[in-house]
Amino acid sequence: MTVTVHLPHQPDPVRPSPTPPARARSRRRRTALYAASLLCCSAILTALPGGASAAPAPVPAPAAVSFADEFDGPAGSAVDGGKWQLETGDNVNNHERQYYTGGNSNAALDGQGNLVVTARKENPGNYQCWYGSCEYTSARLNTAGKFSAAYGHVEARMKVPAGQGMWPAFWMLGDDFGDVGWPQSGEIDVMENVGFEPGTVHGTLHGPGYSGAEGIGAGYTLPGGAAFADDFHTFAVDWAPDSITWSVDGTVYQQRTPADLGGREWVFNKPFFLILNLAVGGYWPGDPDGSTTFPKQLVVDYVRVTTDG
């Protein structure tokens, strides 16, 4: 995912995107599931002398919640400004079609414990995009300047929209983005979905020498021909020094370490901030067509980050 990100108290830096139209999965190398190797391990026990007793195993520290938004509040309320900022403007980098608005126009609570990010085919403010008068509005939120963390369990429970040209994403950028730019900042895509792949999501790393079409990642496809738009699903990464592991609904489908980068720089041992957005069109998903009806909604039940206590 490549977008313009506005950081507080800084001139609006633009993340250049080398992603060509051929982004349609040349950068997503589908790999076999890593679940077996990650979840199956054996312990070798050393026999104790007669009468000896084993020392009690240390009790792991409980996980500490370092960030959580359950999106509780009255219907129509804007998101918590102490946790999120809404960005505004268009995005020429990916040739997306939407204009991101502020306030609660396209991102609001539904009164039932969800955040609803809505993409509409409209232009009520005569917004201007890179291609002329904007055709769509949507929303993008980030926690830059409000929350960032290095390592932990990062997850969101969401229901994505269906339809050609839709591009929902939950992802992270390095906290030093405003200083070093993209892709040196690093990018962790926890979940991306494009409308022409209704049953598949993607998790990807971008960094120096492996960005855009060269990102390192894999896809996860629901069994039985199911579509992600049919229900809520939980998308997560477990992030540790020199290791990031992706899962959907608790099923692990890939792990990445510096060994996967072929000698290129691993830029993920530092704080990152969170981003949620619903894009319309772009190089990868393609534009909406006659089959795409609006409005479309990305419904977010919660976003949580936990770290070891």
Side-chain angles (χ1 to χ4, degrees):
M1 191 72 185
T2 52
V3 302
T4 302
V5 176
H6 303 287
L7 299 179
H9 312 302
Q10 299 185 28
D12 304 335
V14 176
R15 176 154 55 113
S17 171
T19 308
R23 178 170 179 143
R25 292 310 80 214
S26 63
R27 75 180 182 90
R28 311 289 184 176
R29 301 180 304 164
R30 300 183 183 277
T31 61
L33 298 182
Y34 282 76
S37 61
L38 290 171
L39 300 180
C40 298
C41 58
S42 61
I44 299 176
L45 303 179
T46 302
L48 296 171
S53 60
V59 177
V65 177
S66 56
F67 178 92
D69 200 335
E70 307 295 326
F71 301 113
D72 294 324
S77 300
V79 294
D80 185 347
K83 297 178 178 178
W84 302 94
Q85 62 174 341
L86 282 99
E87 303 180 44
T88 59
D90 67 342
N91 181 22
V92 65
N93 293 319
N94 285 329
H95 276 203
E96 297 166 16
R97 311 295 293 189
Q98 80 290 322
Y99 185 94
Y100 289 125
T101 65
N104 62 352
S105 298
N106 294 80
L109 308 185
D110 67 358
Q112 301 178 44
N114 301 306
L115 164 66
V116 180
V117 179
T118 304
R120 297 184 174 91
K121 190 172 184 178
E122 64 172 10
N123 189 351
N126 193 30
Y127 304 122
Q128 296 301 301
C129 288
W130 59 269
Y131 56 88
S133 181
C134 302
E135 299 172 350
Y136 307 91
T137 61
S138 189
R140 181 176 72 236
L141 308 81
N142 73 55
T143 66
K146 300 175 184 293
F147 171 78
S148 63
Y151 316 129
H153 180 82
V154 181
E155 75 171 41
R157 183 173 184 265
M158 302 184 291
K159 184 178 181 182
V160 305
Q164 168 57 35
M166 306 314 300
W167 188 2
F170 174 46
W171 50 298
M172 298 185 281
L173 280 177
D175 222 17
D176 57 356
F177 168 76
D179 297 321
V180 304
W182 185 90
Q184 186 65 41
S185 63
E187 174 181 328
I188 304 170
D189 296 330
V190 182
M191 185 285 299
E192 291 183 278
N193 169 257
V194 286
F196 63 81
E197 292 182 327
T200 300
V201 294
H202 300 270
T204 312
L205 295 181
H206 300 271
Y210 50 101
S211 61
E214 304 303 319
I216 306 296
Y220 174 84
T221 300
L222 287 171
F228 277 98
D230 292 340
D231 204 349
F232 283 87
H233 294 274
T234 301
F235 308 99
V237 294
D238 285 283
W239 175 23
D242 293 337
S243 174
I244 301 174
T245 303
W246 283 257
S247 64
V248 174
D249 298 327
T251 298
V252 171
Y253 69 95
Q254 72 165 328
Q255 182 184 59
R256 297 294 172 181
T257 71
D260 292 298
L261 304 186
R264 292 165 291 186
E265 185 181 3
W266 177 269
V267 291
F268 307 102
N269 292 343
K270 62 185 179 184
F272 277 60
F273 61 88
L274 311 174
I275 306 170
L276 278 169
N277 71 288
L278 176 56
V280 181
Y283 283 136
W284 181 17
D287 291 340
D289 60 21
S291 69
T292 313
T293 59
F294 286 88
K296 294 294 187 184
Q297 295 182 331
L298 169 64
V299 184
V300 186
D301 180 14
Y302 63 77
V303 176
R304 299 171 186 160
V305 180
T306 57
T307 56
D308 291 337

